[in-house]
Amino acid sequence: MSIYRSSITSNKVSSDSQYIDLVLNHQQELFFGLIRIHVLLHASHEPIFGLAMMEELTHHGYRIGPGTLYPLLHGLERNGLLASASKIVGGRRRRVYRITPAGQRALDKARSKVDELHHELHEEHPRRISPPGGGITAS
């Protein structure tokens, strides 16, 4: 009987772990766009580098490591939204990123979309997307 119970417990823990991983992956995917906007925002105010950006994002509750952040920065650069240069900062060589004009335009568009979403998130009764009683039936 105890072997049976331990296998149930083991399967439950495994199932819970898989569920938590799934939720965290979905959260990461959901927040990834917000992190990109956050990076562009800071790069629009001053040159940024990876470690400082990780610390800033941690301050806002995002848990992002170098294996996620650096590919994100490289992707923003590849897409023309950031430009980088190698600089000596405090005796260390760092890759420093600045926003490009295309990045600034993207940030400006994102700002208006985030403002719109923020307003809708806080509406008591968001706008209906289908007519009352129309078109959608329960299966």
Side-chain angles (χ1 to χ4, degrees):
M1 186 86 155
S2 78
I3 293 171
Y4 178 71
R5 268 196 206 131
S6 74
S7 89
I8 290 174
T9 304
S10 170
N11 288 339
K12 170 109 173 82
V13 169
S14 176
S15 174
D16 288 349
S17 176
Q18 288 173 343
Y19 176 75
I20 290 168
D21 288 345
L22 180 65
V23 168
L24 291 176
N25 287 340
H26 284 297
Q27 278 185 336
Q28 183 177 5
E29 186 178 316
L30 185 64
F31 293 144
F32 216 56
L34 296 173
I35 291 169
R36 283 186 176 100
I37 293 168
H38 208 111
V39 166
L40 289 175
L41 175 67
H42 282 280
S44 74
H45 291 286
E46 62 183 331
I48 62 168
F49 60 95
L51 180 60
M53 230 21 258
M54 280 189 282
E55 290 171 357
E56 171 62 17
L57 292 167
T58 297
H59 173 75
H60 291 284
Y62 297 106
R63 288 181 27 197
I64 185 168
T68 301
L69 182 64
Y70 287 105
L72 181 145
L73 290 170
H74 298 156
L76 291 172
E77 184 174 25
R78 205 173 28 257
N79 290 324
L81 304 177
L82 292 177
S84 72
S86 185
K87 303 250 177 169
I88 303 294
V89 179
R92 298 185 64 189
R93 183 171 297 280
R94 294 198 189 272
R95 180 142 308 266
V96 178
Y97 296 86
R98 295 178 182 270
I99 197 165
T100 63
Q104 187 62 56
R105 287 190 300 275
L107 177 61
D108 293 342
K109 286 180 184 176
R111 182 178 282 121
S112 71
K113 292 296 185 186
V114 167
D115 288 346
E116 181 181 324
L117 179 59
H118 178 266
H119 178 72
E120 190 166 349
L121 280 170
H122 294 282
E123 286 179 356
E124 190 171 327
H125 301 288
R127 183 177 71 86
R128 293 184 62 86
I129 59 172
S130 60
I136 300 176
T137 58
S139 318

